[in-house]
Each structure stands twice: as C-alpha cells, then as structure tokens.
Amino acid sequence: MSKILIVEDEIIIRTALRKLLIRNKYDVVETGSVAEATKQKIDTFDLIVSDLRLPGAPGTDLIKLAGDVPVLIMTSYASLRSAVDSMRMGAVDYIAKPFDHDEMIAAVKRALGKAAKPASAAAIKKKGEEKDTPIEGMIGSSAIMREVYGKIHKVAPTSATVLVLGETGTGKELVANAIHTESPRKDKPIISVNCAAIPETLIEAELFGHEKGAFTGAASNREGLVAAADGGTLFLDEIGELPLEAQARLLRVLQEGEVRPIGSTESRKVDVRLVAATHRDLGKLAREGRFREDLYFRINVVQLRLPPLRERGKDILLLAETFIKRFCTEMMRPALSLTPEAIQAITTYPWPGNIRELENAMQRSVILCDNDTEIDHTHLAIDHELVRVDETPDTPSKSSRPTQDSSGDDANEDLSLEDYFQRFVLEHQDHMSETELAKKLGVSRKCLWERRQRLGIPRRKPTQGKKTSA
Ligand SMILES: Nc1ncnc2c1ncn2[C@@H]1O[C@H](COP(=O)(O)OP(=O)(O)OP(=O)(O)O)[C@@H](O)[C@H]1O
Ligand SMILES: [Mg+2]
C-alpha cells in the first residue's frame, strides 16, 4: 500500500482529500504546514501531496526536503504560473483546485508511477551535478553552449516536457534527440513530427489516430504517432503551427496520459515524454488566442534556448574547421585549411541560417576549392556584403562595412580571429621567416609585428642564418 503525506492547511480540503485517498486504498498521514510535515519521517512516504500556499513556508520548500519522494503540488486555478514554477523546481506534477475526485486519483497514480522510474525529481538533482560535458554530435565549447549542455544533462533523465527554442538551423532537432538518448526512454522510439509540414486537415489523424469510418477516407482503424511513441519521446517540431483542435487532444495526452483516436469513444493509456520546438513566440500566440494557454503552460516547463551561431564566439571557427575536415575526408581530398580572409569572413558573417548554413557553405567550398591547400574567402558561397572587413595598416578600407548587428559580438569574433592568428604564428614561426608568416596571414610585416606585441608573442631572435631571409 502506497503511503501518502498530505500537507494542506484548509481543514475542509484536507479532510476530503484524506477520505478520498483512504477510499482508494492509500495509507495517509495529514499535516497542515511544511514545519509539521518535516516532523514526519519524510523518506518513508511514497508521495507528498502539498498545497502551494501554506502558513509559513510554501509547499515547494518540500521538494528539496523530500529527496527522492515525489511532490505533487495543489494550487488554486488562478495561480497556474506558480504551478509551472513549482514544476521547474522539481515537483512531479501539479493539480489545480478545485479538483474533482477522478482527477486527483489520476494525478496521484501518475505521480506514483513516475516515481518508480529513475525519472524522479531526485534524478534531476543528481544529474545536475554532471555539469557541462559535451553532447554527442554537438560541436562547441563556448560558455554559452556549455550552459546548454549542462541543462540538457539535467533535464534529459526526467520526464519533464521541454520546449526548445532557437532560430532555424541552431540544432533544435539534435537537442531533442540528445534529450531522448540521455533519458531512461532511450530504448523506446523517438517519434519526430514537423507540425508545419503536415496539412492542417490531416495532422489530428496523423498524431492521434482514427477509427474506421471516422471521416471520408478512413478505411480502417489506424494508430497515431502519439501511440507509436508510447514509452518513448514525442518530438513536435514547430508546435506553434498545431491547429487548436489538435492542441486540445494533445493537452489530454499530457494531462491525463490518454489518447483518444478520432471517431473513437474510448481512450488508450499512453506514456510519452514531449519535447517541443518552435521558432515562434508561443507566449505571444497564447495571448493572442492562437495557442491554448493551458497547453502553453504544460509545455513551457523547461525552456532550452539555443543561441544563434553568431553568438557562439570561437565555436564558429571550430565548427567550420570540423566540417571542412569531414568533407575533405568524405571527398577523399587532402586536408584543406582556411586563409586569413576566409577566417575573417566566416567569423564576421552573421550566419542567418546558423549551423546548417555553415555546414552547407563548408561543403560547397570544399567542392569548389581548386587548390589542394587552402580555402579562400572567394570559395565561400556567402553574401560578402554582410562580412566585416578588418582594417589593417595594409588594407586601407576595402569597402569596409560593419554587419547590421555585430556590435555586441565584436569581441567574440575578434577573439576567434586572434586565436587563429596566435595559433598560426606559434605553429609556424620556427620554420618560417617573418615575411613568409606575414604573407601567409595576409598582413604586412608591420601589422604582424604589432599583433605579436599585442598578443604577447614577441618575435624570437633568429638563430639560424637562413631564417633571416626576410
Ligand atoms: N552544435 C552542433 N554541432 C554540429 N552540428 C550541428 C550542431 N548544431 C546543429 N548541427 C547540424 O546543423 C544542422 C541543423 O540542425 P537541426 O536540424 O537540429 O536544426 P534545427 O534548429 O532543428 O533547424 P530548423 O529550425 O530549420 O528545423 C544539422 O545537420 C545538424 O547536425
Ligand atoms: Mg528542425
């Protein structure tokens, strides 16, 4: 028999809840505040059902104190936002007051079911310490990306719904897959659906299935994609495009753990973890009545925001070089490097199509490059109008023009270029003269000398006669 601790200060609700749970064969202990609850041996309970607003400390304080024991938060309907906050803090679920009996029992059963898996709130805390090790298949070690990795590791093992936000080509699908593979659901399927790609009239049937004869053309019963994802993960890309009727059915899946095919009177139990992605502002759509607010709250439990490529500093060059290496291997070409001009173009171009655009541009340049050593900026099929050109003493204002919004990122972008400069000099100074180095780097000798001073890599005294050829 599962043992449940009730924490609720309103006597009427507390008594009703106790009776309900006892009737459903649960063992119950009731308390009226967090302080009272902590006098109990908390780890002997299987579940805590707590009001959010209590005299003294709020119910969410129990989440930390409860360790492995899941906490189900009750809250008045008006404070849906705080309910979502409590989920972020690790509550297993929330239920709005007033609730009907069936709803409460369903929520309790779900919460107890979830607790059996390593997907409890405790798992979030434990995994959280794993920090920011890279995600398989994702390149990048900038601080902003390490933060993203940390969040993925933290949220993946839980069953929390995740909303992945980011511009096109920033890796949203990659992240959804990583969340699945790092979760206890990894041996079950991940089903990915692009809501924008399926016609509005078909999407409900695709997702939720249909009965034979439910509509013209429904020749037989058909299982939907939600049911196919049972036990696994459902990735809904471009969720902002989901029609309102389909949103209502999806809400039911999330809230009740049930799917009802079109034309059917019966529901089937499903256990899916939802990862959703969008490049739209769902909050705004919800305010405009174009997205269900209750669904928005359910989805917006954990947000993962992928930064655009132009904000990833050094990662841009790292990604570019990795892609070049990969395409050279694929095309069985000798390894190609980038000329300084190409590097400057790559690190200052704003990459509106993000990593996908960079990947394609590198592939094209490996194909187009007609020599066996270097990719030049002319090989890059990008809009050079958007590239920022550095003014070195040698290249007096070559149609220099700043990118539209490069101001905030200049530091990062310069850093990439300087890193490259430094690396190049350190690697080659032993076997190249200053003139050769400067030529390779595409700068004047004066500029090379200045940069050496600035970067703290002063020129070494030549030791051999031949190195003084400059
Ligand atoms: N950090 C990364 N490291 C390596 N490759 C990446 C990274 N991020 C994205 N990619 C690659 O870039 C391409 C686009 O990624 P993905 O499809 O996940 O983006 P998306 O955000 O879902 O794009 P869209 O909004 O257009 O659907 C893929 O080929 C993916 O493998
Ligand atoms: Mg995508």
Side-chain angles (χ1 to χ4, degrees):
M1 194 193 284
S2 297
K3 200 172 159 196
I4 300 177
L5 176 64
I6 301 175
V7 191
E8 166 65 84
D9 58 320
E10 284 170 60
I11 303 283
I12 300 175
I13 297 180
R14 193 163 88 199
T15 312
L17 186 56
R18 183 193 61 212
K19 286 184 180 159
L20 172 70
L21 293 175
I22 290 175
R23 248 200 333 272
N24 282 274
K25 310 258 178 311
Y26 293 109
D27 195 357
V28 179
V29 174
E30 52 180 301
T31 57
S33 66
V34 172
E36 252 183 68
T38 50
K39 289 193 192 120
Q40 301 287 327
K41 280 192 144 222
I42 287 195
D43 56 1
T44 61
F45 290 92
D46 299 296
L47 175 68
I48 300 172
V49 181
S50 174
D51 190 18
L52 180 62
R53 255 174 241 134
L54 290 163
T60 42
D61 275 18
L62 283 163
I63 297 169
K64 266 208 195 93
L65 299 168
D68 285 347
V69 184
V71 180
L72 172 64
I73 293 287
M74 299 181 282
T75 171
S76 64
Y77 200 77
S79 53
L80 215 51
R81 264 171 213 282
S82 39
V84 174
D85 287 341
S86 56
M87 299 262 306
R88 287 206 182 103
M89 292 161 78
V92 65
D93 202 355
Y94 66 84
I95 185 162
K97 290 198 281 191
F99 41 79
D100 69 35
H101 289 181
D102 292 348
E103 244 182 298
M104 176 52 96
I105 292 302
V108 164
K109 278 191 184 150
R110 261 199 325 268
L112 285 167
K114 278 182 189 164
K117 294 176 202 144
S120 63
I124 308 188
K125 289 171 207 155
K126 239 180 270 150
K127 278 280 174 177
E129 282 141 30
E130 223 174 71
K131 284 275 162 45
D132 49 6
T133 49
I135 299 291
E136 198 175 330
M138 291 191 80
I139 299 156
S141 55
S142 55
I144 201 166
M145 284 311 285
R146 287 207 311 272
E147 216 173 282
V148 170
Y149 302 153
K151 223 166 166 186
I152 294 175
H153 293 311
K154 209 164 165 181
V155 74
T158 74
S159 47
T161 298
V162 183
L163 180 60
V164 189
L165 301 170
E167 290 178 12
T168 179
T170 44
K172 297 187 290 294
E173 182 143 13
L174 216 52
V175 166
N177 286 322
I179 291 174
H180 177 71
T181 10
E182 287 197 17
S183 79
R185 298 167 176 265
K186 64 175 186 301
D187 298 323
K188 291 287 172 75
I190 171 166
I191 305 277
S192 299
V193 185
N194 183 347
C195 302
I198 303 177
E200 244 187 62
T201 46
L202 297 181
I203 194 151
E204 251 189 297
E206 279 292 320
L207 284 176
F208 307 100
H210 59 73
E211 291 278 279
K212 181 179 174 179
F215 49 85
T216 340
S220 56
N221 288 352
R222 185 154 163 233
E223 188 182 62
L225 294 168
V226 171
D230 194 12
T233 306
L234 177 68
F235 173 48
L236 291 184
D237 206 353
E238 298 302 351
I239 195 164
E241 314 306 314
L242 205 61
L244 284 165
E245 301 89 75
Q247 289 179 24
R249 277 184 205 266
L250 180 61
L251 184 66
R252 195 181 169 90
V253 172
L254 297 181
Q255 234 158 13
E256 326 279 334
E258 285 181 353
V259 59
R260 193 159 54 82
I262 297 170
S264 167
T265 48
E266 274 171 38
S267 304
R268 159 182 169 186
K269 285 276 160 213
V270 281
D271 164 31
V272 293
R273 196 259 182 99
L274 180 69
V275 177
T278 180
H279 69 278
R280 313 243 294 199
D281 182 346
L282 276 194
K284 187 162 165 264
L285 290 186
R287 282 192 298 279
E288 291 167 358
R290 290 193 289 157
F291 199 86
R292 288 184 70 117
E293 197 160 38
D294 44 8
L295 180 60
Y296 172 59
F297 283 127
R298 277 278 161 188
I299 292 173
N300 192 21
V301 176
V302 177
Q303 267 194 15
L304 254 169
R305 192 175 286 276
L306 291 178
L309 181 57
R310 60 187 169 278
E311 285 173 17
R312 299 190 195 180
K314 289 183 196 179
D315 289 355
I316 304 176
L317 198 53
L318 180 66
L319 277 156
E321 288 179 333
T322 314
F323 289 140
I324 291 172
K325 215 163 152 188
R326 191 166 84 208
F327 292 123
C328 284
T329 315
E330 270 175 27
M331 293 174 210
M332 294 190 283
R333 292 194 62 150
L336 292 165
S337 57
L338 291 161
T339 64
E341 288 85 0
I343 289 180
Q344 177 152 33
I346 287 169
T347 49
T348 61
Y349 177 68
W351 298 110
N354 294 291
I355 296 107
R356 184 181 296 108
E357 187 185 6
L358 177 70
E359 196 174 0
N360 292 342
M362 293 308 111
Q363 184 175 25
R364 271 193 308 251
S365 56
V366 170
I367 295 171
L368 295 179
C369 180
D370 40 20
N371 65 72
D372 274 343
T373 50
E374 285 176 327
I375 293 172
D376 189 28
H377 63 293
T378 53
H379 297 124
L380 300 169
I382 57 174
D383 183 355
H384 287 273
E385 292 277 291
L386 297 175
V387 166
R388 185 165 49 84
V389 179
D390 237 9
E391 287 180 45
T392 64
D394 259 12
T395 51
S397 97
K398 277 194 245 156
S399 80
S400 113
R401 105 188 56 215
T403 51
Q404 327 101 321
D405 57 358
S406 63
S407 50
D409 307 319
D410 275 7
N412 275 343
E413 287 165 353
D414 279 347
L415 195 65
S416 314
L417 196 59
E418 294 205 337
D419 268 0
Y420 175 81
F421 186 94
Q422 189 163 12
R423 211 167 70 193
F424 190 91
V425 171
L426 289 173
E427 264 173 33
H428 299 286
Q429 62 182 1
D430 287 333
H431 59 90
M432 274 189 185
S433 68
E434 288 300 285
T435 307
E436 283 167 336
L437 274 178
K439 204 169 152 219
K440 273 278 179 201
L441 285 163
V443 299
S444 66
R445 282 205 49 188
K446 178 167 161 269
C447 174
L448 174 60
W449 182 84
E450 280 170 354
R451 287 206 184 190
R452 274 181 172 281
Q453 303 307 310
R454 183 147 53 88
L455 298 172
I457 37 168
R459 185 183 169 191
R460 288 198 215 143
K461 289 246 155 54
T463 48
Q464 284 163 349
K466 74 175 175 99
K467 295 258 171 67
T468 53
S469 60

